mmCIF file of all heavy atoms in Angstrom:
data_model
loop_
_atom_site.group_PDB
_atom_site.id
_atom_site.type_symbol
_atom_site.label_atom_id
_atom_site.label_comp_id
_atom_site.label_asym_id
_atom_site.label_seq_id
_atom_site.Cartn_x
_atom_site.Cartn_y
_atom_site.Cartn_z
ATOM 1 N N GLY A 9 -30.328 -22.708 8.005
ATOM 2 C CA GLY A 9 -29.942 -21.407 7.480
ATOM 3 C C GLY A 9 -28.631 -20.886 8.016
ATOM 4 O O GLY A 9 -27.922 -21.561 8.747
ATOM 5 N N PRO A 76 -12.191 -34.944 1.007
ATOM 6 C CA PRO A 76 -10.994 -35.016 0.155
ATOM 7 C C PRO A 76 -10.626 -33.640 -0.393
ATOM 8 O O PRO A 76 -11.502 -32.785 -0.593
ATOM 9 C CB PRO A 76 -11.430 -35.962 -0.978
ATOM 10 C CG PRO A 76 -12.560 -36.757 -0.413
ATOM 11 C CD PRO A 76 -13.265 -35.846 0.551
ATOM 12 N N THR A 96 -30.706 -16.241 -4.631
ATOM 13 C CA THR A 96 -31.729 -16.411 -5.662
ATOM 14 C C THR A 96 -32.944 -17.136 -5.099
ATOM 15 O O THR A 96 -34.091 -16.792 -5.380
ATOM 16 C CB THR A 96 -31.162 -17.193 -6.857
ATOM 17 O OG1 THR A 96 -30.076 -16.460 -7.438
ATOM 18 C CG2 THR A 96 -32.233 -17.437 -7.914
ATOM 19 N N ARG A 101 -36.364 -12.828 1.966
ATOM 20 C CA ARG A 101 -37.307 -13.434 2.915
ATOM 21 C C ARG A 101 -36.609 -14.168 4.049
ATOM 22 O O ARG A 101 -37.265 -14.634 4.969
ATOM 23 C CB ARG A 101 -38.233 -14.416 2.178
ATOM 24 C CG ARG A 101 -39.102 -13.776 1.122
ATOM 25 C CD ARG A 101 -40.036 -14.810 0.497
ATOM 26 N NE ARG A 101 -39.293 -15.835 -0.209
ATOM 27 C CZ ARG A 101 -38.933 -15.753 -1.488
ATOM 28 N NH1 ARG A 101 -39.253 -14.672 -2.180
ATOM 29 N NH2 ARG A 101 -38.265 -16.728 -2.073
ATOM 30 N N GLU A 125 -17.532 16.362 12.304
ATOM 31 C CA GLU A 125 -17.088 17.232 11.229
ATOM 32 C C GLU A 125 -15.628 17.650 11.377
ATOM 33 O O GLU A 125 -15.174 18.585 10.762
ATOM 34 C CB GLU A 125 -17.982 18.479 11.179
ATOM 35 C CG GLU A 125 -19.433 18.124 10.843
ATOM 36 C CD GLU A 125 -20.308 19.337 10.760
ATOM 37 O OE1 GLU A 125 -19.795 20.452 11.031
ATOM 38 O OE2 GLU A 125 -21.498 19.194 10.442
ATOM 39 N N GLY A 128 -13.254 16.631 16.562
ATOM 40 C CA GLY A 128 -12.836 15.618 17.519
ATOM 41 C C GLY A 128 -13.399 14.272 17.138
ATOM 42 O O GLY A 128 -14.181 14.154 16.202
ATOM 43 N N GLN A 141 -4.566 14.105 8.005
ATOM 44 C CA GLN A 141 -4.172 13.575 6.714
ATOM 45 C C GLN A 141 -5.328 12.818 6.071
ATOM 46 O O GLN A 141 -5.561 12.921 4.868
ATOM 47 C CB GLN A 141 -2.966 12.644 6.867
ATOM 48 C CG GLN A 141 -2.478 12.081 5.527
ATOM 49 C CD GLN A 141 -1.325 11.131 5.704
ATOM 50 O OE1 GLN A 141 -1.083 10.650 6.807
ATOM 51 N NE2 GLN A 141 -0.616 10.855 4.646
ATOM 52 N N TYR A 157 -18.931 11.076 8.134
ATOM 53 C CA TYR A 157 -18.975 9.835 8.926
ATOM 54 C C TYR A 157 -19.284 8.698 7.966
ATOM 55 O O TYR A 157 -20.353 8.664 7.345
ATOM 56 C CB TYR A 157 -20.039 9.927 10.018
ATOM 57 C CG TYR A 157 -19.878 8.886 11.117
ATOM 58 C CD1 TYR A 157 -18.829 8.975 12.029
ATOM 59 C CD2 TYR A 157 -20.772 7.829 11.253
ATOM 60 C CE1 TYR A 157 -18.671 8.041 13.041
ATOM 61 C CE2 TYR A 157 -20.623 6.889 12.269
ATOM 62 C CZ TYR A 157 -19.576 7.005 13.155
ATOM 63 O OH TYR A 157 -19.417 6.069 14.166
ATOM 64 N N CYS A 164 -22.982 -7.684 3.151
ATOM 65 C CA CYS A 164 -24.235 -7.011 3.510
ATOM 66 C C CYS A 164 -25.475 -7.840 3.241
ATOM 67 O O CYS A 164 -26.560 -7.499 3.719
ATOM 68 C CB CYS A 164 -24.338 -5.692 2.759
ATOM 69 S SG CYS A 164 -24.416 -5.860 0.950
ATOM 70 N N GLY A 165 -25.344 -8.937 2.464
ATOM 71 C CA GLY A 165 -26.531 -9.717 2.153
ATOM 72 C C GLY A 165 -27.558 -8.846 1.453
ATOM 73 O O GLY A 165 -27.243 -8.079 0.541
ATOM 74 N N LEU A 174 -29.498 3.314 7.835
ATOM 75 C CA LEU A 174 -29.977 4.478 7.098
ATOM 76 C C LEU A 174 -31.241 5.064 7.729
ATOM 77 O O LEU A 174 -31.461 6.282 7.698
ATOM 78 C CB LEU A 174 -30.242 4.096 5.638
ATOM 79 C CG LEU A 174 -28.993 3.761 4.803
ATOM 80 C CD1 LEU A 174 -29.398 3.231 3.435
ATOM 81 C CD2 LEU A 174 -28.087 4.973 4.662
ATOM 82 N N LYS A 175 -32.078 4.191 8.301
ATOM 83 C CA LYS A 175 -33.301 4.665 8.954
ATOM 84 C C LYS A 175 -33.000 5.348 10.283
ATOM 85 O O LYS A 175 -33.604 6.356 10.639
ATOM 86 C CB LYS A 175 -34.241 3.475 9.231
ATOM 87 C CG LYS A 175 -34.976 2.940 8.031
ATOM 88 C CD LYS A 175 -35.878 1.782 8.496
ATOM 89 C CE LYS A 175 -36.581 1.120 7.344
ATOM 90 N NZ LYS A 175 -37.418 -0.022 7.799
ATOM 91 N N LEU A 182 -23.582 11.395 7.113
ATOM 92 C CA LEU A 182 -23.414 9.945 7.035
ATOM 93 C C LEU A 182 -23.379 9.457 5.588
ATOM 94 O O LEU A 182 -24.156 9.922 4.747
ATOM 95 C CB LEU A 182 -24.571 9.248 7.762
ATOM 96 C CG LEU A 182 -24.644 7.714 7.597
ATOM 97 C CD1 LEU A 182 -23.517 7.043 8.372
ATOM 98 C CD2 LEU A 182 -26.008 7.191 8.051
ATOM 99 N N ALA A 193 -27.175 -10.745 -4.283
ATOM 100 C CA ALA A 193 -27.501 -10.022 -3.051
ATOM 101 C C ALA A 193 -27.385 -8.520 -3.258
ATOM 102 O O ALA A 193 -28.248 -7.741 -2.830
ATOM 103 C CB ALA A 193 -26.594 -10.477 -1.916
ATOM 104 N N VAL A 212 -20.264 -5.103 -5.497
ATOM 105 C CA VAL A 212 -19.833 -6.496 -5.381
ATOM 106 C C VAL A 212 -18.352 -6.519 -5.022
ATOM 107 O O VAL A 212 -17.545 -5.801 -5.612
ATOM 108 C CB VAL A 212 -20.079 -7.257 -6.697
ATOM 109 C CG1 VAL A 212 -19.574 -8.695 -6.580
ATOM 110 C CG2 VAL A 212 -21.563 -7.239 -7.060
ATOM 111 N N ILE A 232 -16.240 -0.190 10.302
ATOM 112 C CA ILE A 232 -16.394 -1.349 9.409
ATOM 113 C C ILE A 232 -17.164 -2.418 10.174
ATOM 114 O O ILE A 232 -16.854 -2.714 11.322
ATOM 115 C CB ILE A 232 -15.033 -1.896 8.948
ATOM 116 C CG1 ILE A 232 -14.291 -0.850 8.106
ATOM 117 C CG2 ILE A 232 -15.208 -3.178 8.151
ATOM 118 C CD1 ILE A 232 -12.883 -1.263 7.703
ATOM 119 N N LEU A 238 -17.208 -13.138 8.268
ATOM 120 C CA LEU A 238 -15.835 -13.648 8.286
ATOM 121 C C LEU A 238 -15.824 -15.176 8.324
ATOM 122 O O LEU A 238 -14.949 -15.817 7.742
ATOM 123 C CB LEU A 238 -15.078 -13.087 9.495
ATOM 124 C CG LEU A 238 -13.586 -13.374 9.545
ATOM 125 C CD1 LEU A 238 -12.860 -12.748 8.361
ATOM 126 C CD2 LEU A 238 -12.978 -12.885 10.860
ATOM 127 N N ARG A 252 -6.286 -6.143 5.458
ATOM 128 C CA ARG A 252 -6.627 -5.220 4.357
ATOM 129 C C ARG A 252 -7.731 -4.262 4.792
ATOM 130 O O ARG A 252 -7.666 -3.051 4.508
ATOM 131 C CB ARG A 252 -7.079 -6.019 3.122
ATOM 132 C CG ARG A 252 -7.546 -5.146 1.951
ATOM 133 C CD ARG A 252 -6.395 -4.346 1.392
ATOM 134 N NE ARG A 252 -6.828 -3.355 0.392
ATOM 135 C CZ ARG A 252 -7.092 -2.092 0.645
ATOM 136 N NH1 ARG A 252 -6.987 -1.632 1.896
ATOM 137 N NH2 ARG A 252 -7.445 -1.258 -0.306
ATOM 138 N N ALA A 254 -8.375 -3.248 7.799
ATOM 139 C CA ALA A 254 -7.851 -2.331 8.819
ATOM 140 C C ALA A 254 -7.211 -1.106 8.184
ATOM 141 O O ALA A 254 -7.252 -0.004 8.750
ATOM 142 C CB ALA A 254 -6.855 -3.057 9.715
ATOM 143 N N LYS A 279 -23.356 -33.202 10.294
ATOM 144 C CA LYS A 279 -23.128 -34.644 10.274
ATOM 145 C C LYS A 279 -21.779 -34.946 9.611
ATOM 146 O O LYS A 279 -21.127 -34.046 9.068
ATOM 147 C CB LYS A 279 -24.251 -35.345 9.503
ATOM 148 C CG LYS A 279 -25.656 -35.010 9.995
ATOM 149 C CD LYS A 279 -25.859 -35.416 11.445
ATOM 150 C CE LYS A 279 -27.287 -35.115 11.896
ATOM 151 N NZ LYS A 279 -27.496 -35.417 13.334
ATOM 152 N N ASP A 293 -26.267 -26.402 1.049
ATOM 153 C CA ASP A 293 -26.392 -25.554 -0.141
ATOM 154 C C ASP A 293 -25.049 -25.129 -0.714
ATOM 155 O O ASP A 293 -24.988 -24.333 -1.649
ATOM 156 C CB ASP A 293 -27.244 -24.317 0.167
ATOM 157 C CG ASP A 293 -26.651 -23.443 1.274
ATOM 158 O OD1 ASP A 293 -25.517 -23.720 1.704
ATOM 159 O OD2 ASP A 293 -27.331 -22.493 1.713
ATOM 160 N N GLU A 304 -8.847 -16.774 18.849
ATOM 161 C CA GLU A 304 -8.582 -16.742 17.408
ATOM 162 C C GLU A 304 -8.907 -15.369 16.822
ATOM 163 O O GLU A 304 -8.125 -14.813 16.038
ATOM 164 C CB GLU A 304 -9.416 -17.814 16.708
ATOM 165 C CG GLU A 304 -8.917 -19.227 16.923
ATOM 166 C CD GLU A 304 -9.851 -20.267 16.345
ATOM 167 O OE1 GLU A 304 -11.053 -19.969 16.143
ATOM 168 O OE2 GLU A 304 -9.387 -21.396 16.098
ATOM 169 N N VAL A 321 -18.222 -13.416 24.597
ATOM 170 C CA VAL A 321 -19.021 -14.561 24.175
ATOM 171 C C VAL A 321 -20.455 -14.328 24.602
ATOM 172 O O VAL A 321 -20.723 -13.918 25.731
ATOM 173 C CB VAL A 321 -18.495 -15.879 24.797
ATOM 174 C CG1 VAL A 321 -19.440 -17.034 24.468
ATOM 175 C CG2 VAL A 321 -17.105 -16.190 24.279
ATOM 176 N N LEU A 333 -38.342 -28.018 22.771
ATOM 177 C CA LEU A 333 -36.944 -28.207 22.386
ATOM 178 C C LEU A 333 -36.100 -27.072 22.944
ATOM 179 O O LEU A 333 -36.546 -25.931 23.022
ATOM 180 C CB LEU A 333 -36.797 -28.232 20.858
ATOM 181 C CG LEU A 333 -37.593 -29.291 20.096
ATOM 182 C CD1 LEU A 333 -37.364 -29.127 18.603
ATOM 183 C CD2 LEU A 333 -37.207 -30.696 20.549
ATOM 184 N N ARG A 337 -27.155 -21.526 21.620
ATOM 185 C CA ARG A 337 -26.448 -20.713 20.645
ATOM 186 C C ARG A 337 -25.202 -20.112 21.292
ATOM 187 O O ARG A 337 -25.209 -19.760 22.468
ATOM 188 C CB ARG A 337 -27.335 -19.576 20.119
ATOM 189 C CG ARG A 337 -28.670 -20.018 19.524
ATOM 190 C CD ARG A 337 -28.549 -21.169 18.520
ATOM 191 N NE ARG A 337 -27.560 -20.961 17.489
ATOM 192 C CZ ARG A 337 -27.836 -20.525 16.265
ATOM 193 N NH1 ARG A 337 -29.067 -20.221 15.942
ATOM 194 N NH2 ARG A 337 -26.875 -20.407 15.364
#
Side-chain angles (χ1 to χ4, degrees):
T96 298
R101 298 183 296 271
E125 296 181 357
Q141 182 182 17
Y157 197 71
C164 63
L174 292 173
K175 284 181 184 178
L182 172 71
V212 178
I232 296 175
L238 188 62
R252 176 66 188 95
K279 306 299 182 184
D293 60 7
E304 286 174 338
V321 174
L333 302 178
R337 305 311 309 262

